[in-house]
Amino acid sequence: MIIDLHTHPNLKAFNSDYPEPAANMWDNIHHRIDGSKQAQNINDLTKHIWKESQSNLDRMTAGDVRVFQLSLYPTEKGFLNVRNIPETLFGKRRVNLLQEIITGYHSSSITAQKKNKNYFKELQAEYEYVKSQQGKSPDGKSEFVIVNNYKELDHALKKKDTLVGIITIEGAHVFNSNIDGIDKMNKQDLFKMLSENIQTAKNWEHPPFIINLSHHFWNYLAGHSKSFKRPINNILNQNKGKNKGITEAGWQVIRELLSTRNGKRILIDTKHMSAASRIEYYEFIKNHNYINPTNKIPVISSHAAANGFKTIDSSIEDADFMAKARKDRLFKWSINISDEEANIIHDSEGLVGLMMDKGNLGGVDLIAEISKETNVLKQRKLFTHLFWDNAFQLVKAIGKKSGWDIIALGTDFDGTITHMDPYPTAAELPLLQKDLIDFLKEKDYRKELWFDYTPKELVDKMMHGNALRFYKKYFV
């Protein structure tokens, strides 16, 4: 069994047409690439992005992904407002073609998202769509259910062919914190709107378990980390709010999400938060957990990697440009997790979901070298080696056996990632599982950090054991 802390089986299906989706979450959706020269140019420019579904429910079934945190994501307008589009690439055609090919969304959905001024309305529509997808697969052999707690999860897993979804959200912009005119809204009205939207989500039949406070663009709540590399950063502008800390409105959102006085606690996912925001949030959690040792709040980074820096401060001494990430084995940008943060997550009893994005797992030159390897078996070993290096970096930072308790899997499939080539979809996760075990068995690689676990025990912990233990304690 495999558990995925962060994936998007809903996005392509929900955005397959407008106003009503044309596809279901079991369908394998191919990105539309017509025969035009422009479409082929875009496809070539973005060839590192897989152009069909990675985590549709059929592929989840094939990959034995029994449990997954299904991330709702109303697309940020920053994704839809491209810049610096070369005339030679597009001529007079609309930039919707670029977005169709990258995301796999239908042009009608992209057009509607550009016009929509209410993220929260979009969020609720996406949630209702996902709810409607529960039930038997088209072939009648499998079933999809959404659960609200560990008891329901445990019950669902007793059914052999049941896929179990846990609702999460990527980005607190969904509460309308960055709609047009937000900077002119008075504080009282802003806080009232945010509170009402949070309360509505907490009143859902399936309240979100986890939410990312930040995502790719400024949401007036907390600064975000730089996440785009070439060529994407040439056409999408992340500068506004990048690397800022948490705002007053952000603290209000954090407290209301974490509160149990207004419904179930919604945990904060720190992935995509700027280093400055994370530092402030960690201090808040440290104080809370010290005062409330029997009611701890865990720190979660659902789809991340290690950056190899000793401290958070050292990870931001140099700006996140390509040169910083070029020569080292690990990807050095501050969006990734430092050794200091690994210990903070460990001490809070939290989790890190190691992601499947090769561009975040390894340095630029290393990834280019591995990606050019034509021998598939050799390439699999190179990628599993890199995946283990990210895990070992976190465990070495913690320095004891319980370091292995924080590591899980968070693929970010269907999140427009640059996947590891031999493992493009959820269906290949059992192959990754086997390769990870075989790599340690063949080489006794870094055995001093196994802490008496066997290779299979380590992989089992990463692939499902740690997540199940976490759900039993915190998914209540």
Side-chain angles (χ1 to χ4, degrees), residues 147-217:
V147 297
N148 279 326
N149 51 55
Y150 178 77
K151 183 178 179 181
E152 292 180 7
L153 169 62
D154 187 52
H155 177 73
L157 285 176
K158 290 180 169 63
K159 301 176 183 178
K160 182 181 177 184
D161 297 310
T162 299
L163 302 180
V164 184
I166 298 171
I167 298 295
T168 65
I169 297 173
E170 187 151 33
H173 65 283
V174 299
F175 300 122
N176 281 341
S177 64
N178 64 338
I179 56 174
D180 291 343
I182 198 73
D183 49 351
K184 296 182 177 65
M185 186 181 289
N186 70 63
K187 185 167 69 173
Q188 185 176 1
D189 289 343
L190 171 62
F191 284 15
K192 182 174 182 289
M193 178 192 69
L194 294 172
S195 295
E196 288 175 350
N197 289 341
I198 291 169
Q199 190 63 61
T200 298
K202 286 199 170 193
N203 289 340
W204 285 351
E205 181 183 352
H206 311 284
F209 176 46
I210 292 171
I211 182 168
N212 294 82
L213 188 64
S214 303
H215 199 207
H216 292 301
F217 301 96

Side-chain angles (χ1 to χ4, degrees), residues 9 25-26 55-62 68 133 144 163:
M25 285 171 50
W26 300 87
S55 60
N56 59 306
L57 299 187
D58 267 342
R59 283 206 159 116
M60 294 292 216
T61 302
F68 48 93
Q133 296 293 295
F144 167 56
L163 302 180

Side-chain angles (χ1 to χ4, degrees), residues 365-413:
D365 289 351
L366 175 67
I367 294 303
E369 181 182 338
I370 297 176
S371 298
K372 286 188 292 187
E373 176 57 63
T374 57
N375 182 302
V376 176
L377 183 59
K378 287 182 180 178
Q379 191 182 62
R380 281 164 51 191
K381 289 183 178 181
L382 291 169
F383 274 122
T384 51
H385 186 178
L386 179 60
F387 196 86
W388 274 124
D389 279 347
N390 277 270
F392 282 125
Q393 181 68 35
L394 301 176
V395 173
K396 182 181 178 183
I398 295 162
K400 51 188 174 183
K401 189 172 186 176
S402 57
W404 286 109
D405 294 342
I406 74 166
I407 301 176
L409 178 71
T411 64
D412 201 16
F413 278 147

Side-chain angles (χ1 to χ4, degrees), residues 309 311-319 324 334:
F309 284 105
T311 65
I312 309 172
D313 286 342
S314 61
S315 74
I316 55 176
E317 283 181 4
D318 296 323
K324 179 180 177 181
S334 61

